[in-house]
Amino acid sequence: MADNRDWLGATTPSDLNVAANWLGAALPIDGDFVRFLKKDTGQLGPTLNVTALTLVRPALIYVGEGYTQNIGGSGAGEIEMGAAKFWYRGTSGKYWFKDGTDALATAWMIVDSTSSSPYTHDCVSIDGATVTLLDVLRGMATAVSGATITDFYVGSRNENAVESQLVLNVGVTLSTSGEVRSGLVTCNVACPTIRVNGGTWDQKTAVAGSTGIFVNGGRLNLHVGGTYAKIVARGGVVDGTQDGGVKVVTDLYVHPSAKIIGWNEGGGGMIEATNTHWLN
C-alpha cells in the first residue's frame, strides 16, 4: 500500500538514506508519494547519499507550495530517483532530477513555481531521464545532456503574464513536438515539430531534424543558417536576422498577417524560400 513519505530532514540533516529523515521513519519504496512540504522547510533538503534510492520508483514526487530548500545539487549531487509523475510547486530553491536505474519514463512532469518572480526562478534541472510530457507553467526548467522529452508545453498559468522558461541544452533528445504559448523556449537541439502560438522560441542550433515549424503567434528567432524543410507562418513573427547564416526554407507557407523578417520574395534575403505558398 502506498504511503506519504514526507521529507523531515531532522536527523543526520541532508542524508537521503536515513529512515528517520522521512515520515514514518521509513525510506520511500515503489509506489509511495514522496513529498517536500512547507511545514518542513526549516530543515535542509536532501543533498547527501543522493544515489541511495536509485532503484526506488515513487508514484509521485511533489514539492509543495512554500517549500524553499534545494533538493540535490548539480553534477554528482543530482537526486537519482525516478517517478511516475513529478510536480514542482516550490517557492524558492531548486530540484535536480535524475532518473533511477529502472530507465522507465516519467509520464508527466509539471513545473509550476509559486515564486513571486517565477520567470527567473531556476527551479528544476532534468538529467538522464525520459519525460513523456513536460508542462512548464511557472518558473524556469533546464534539460541537460542525457534527458529525453517526448512532448513539451511552455505557457503561463496567469493569462497575459510572462512566467515560464525552458532551456534545452546540447545533448537533449526531443522526440516529437514542442509548443510555446507564453514565456521563452531556448532550444539548442533539433525539435521535429515546433509550434509557436505566443511567447518566444529561440532556435539556437540544430536545423537538421526540425521538419515542421508552425507559427500562429508570438515570435520565432532563427539563430542558425541551414535548410529548414517547412515553415508555416499564419501569424506572429519569424526573424531570420539573428545571425549571419542564410536560412533556406524548402516550403514556406505565409499568411498576410504573419511578419517574416529577413525574407525578400524576390530573393537575396537572410531567409530564402525554395517554394513559397500564400495562405488565405
Side-chain angles (χ1 to χ4, degrees):
M1 180 177 177
D3 287 312
N4 290 329
R5 291 294 171 210
D6 299 352
W7 171 259
L8 306 177
T11 304
T12 316
S14 301
D15 196 326
L16 190 74
N17 200 35
V18 172
N21 279 332
W22 296 94
L23 182 68
L27 296 174
I29 60 173
D30 290 353
D32 278 352
F33 298 94
V34 172
R35 306 190 303 176
F36 300 87
L37 302 177
K38 180 179 179 179
K39 66 182 180 63
D40 304 308
T41 200
Q43 305 295 337
L44 294 176
T47 57
L48 300 175
N49 281 324
V50 292
T51 64
L53 301 180
T54 187
L55 295 176
V56 175
R57 185 172 177 79
L60 172 69
I61 295 175
Y62 175 73
V63 182
E65 180 177 357
Y67 195 81
T68 61
Q69 299 292 342
N70 285 329
I71 303 170
S74 61
E78 296 168 328
I79 300 293
E80 195 170 311
M81 177 171 58
K85 295 182 180 179
F86 175 95
W87 189 6
Y88 184 94
R89 299 202 71 230
T91 301
S92 61
K94 183 173 182 177
Y95 193 111
W96 282 265
F97 182 91
K98 185 173 184 179
D99 203 1
T101 56
D102 60 18
L104 296 174
T106 296
W108 194 7
M109 178 175 282
I110 304 171
V111 179
D112 190 13
S113 165
T114 52
S115 168
S116 59
S117 301
Y119 185 74
T120 56
H121 180 199
D122 183 8
C123 55
V124 176
S125 172
I126 307 164
D127 181 19
T130 297
V131 179
T132 304
L133 176 61
L134 169 63
D135 283 334
V136 184
L137 304 178
R138 298 181 93 239
M140 175 180 175
T142 302
V144 303
S145 179
T148 297
I149 300 169
T150 304
D151 295 286
F152 69 81
Y153 170 86
V154 177
S156 293
R157 180 171 289 282
N158 297 305
E159 189 175 359
N160 300 320
V162 179
E163 302 177 318
S164 52
Q165 291 192 64
L166 174 61
V167 178
L168 301 161
N169 286 338
V170 174
V172 172
T173 299
L174 301 177
S175 302
T176 305
S177 68
E179 177 184 353
V180 59
R181 188 172 291 273
S182 176
L184 173 65
V185 173
T186 302
C187 188
N188 293 285
V189 295
C191 183
T193 301
I194 295 171
R195 302 187 187 279
V196 183
N197 294 316
T200 300
W201 185 302
D202 276 340
Q203 187 66 27
K204 296 287 191 179
T205 187
V207 176
S210 297
T211 55
I213 300 174
F214 302 87
V215 182
N216 298 310
R219 185 182 187 95
L220 170 67
N221 295 322
L222 301 176
H223 291 263
V224 56
T227 299
Y228 295 77
K230 179 171 69 174
I231 296 179
V232 180
R234 294 186 176 275
V237 176
V238 177
D239 188 351
T241 64
Q242 296 290 320
D243 70 352
V246 175
K247 293 81 183 170
V248 179
V249 183
T250 303
D251 286 289
L252 177 62
Y253 296 80
V254 184
H255 189 276
S257 64
K259 185 174 184 179
I260 314 295
I261 300 175
W263 173 56
N264 296 316
E265 192 172 357
M270 298 302 297
I271 295 179
E272 296 277 359
T274 305
N275 302 297
T276 302
H277 312 269
W278 287 99
L279 303 172
N280 296 322

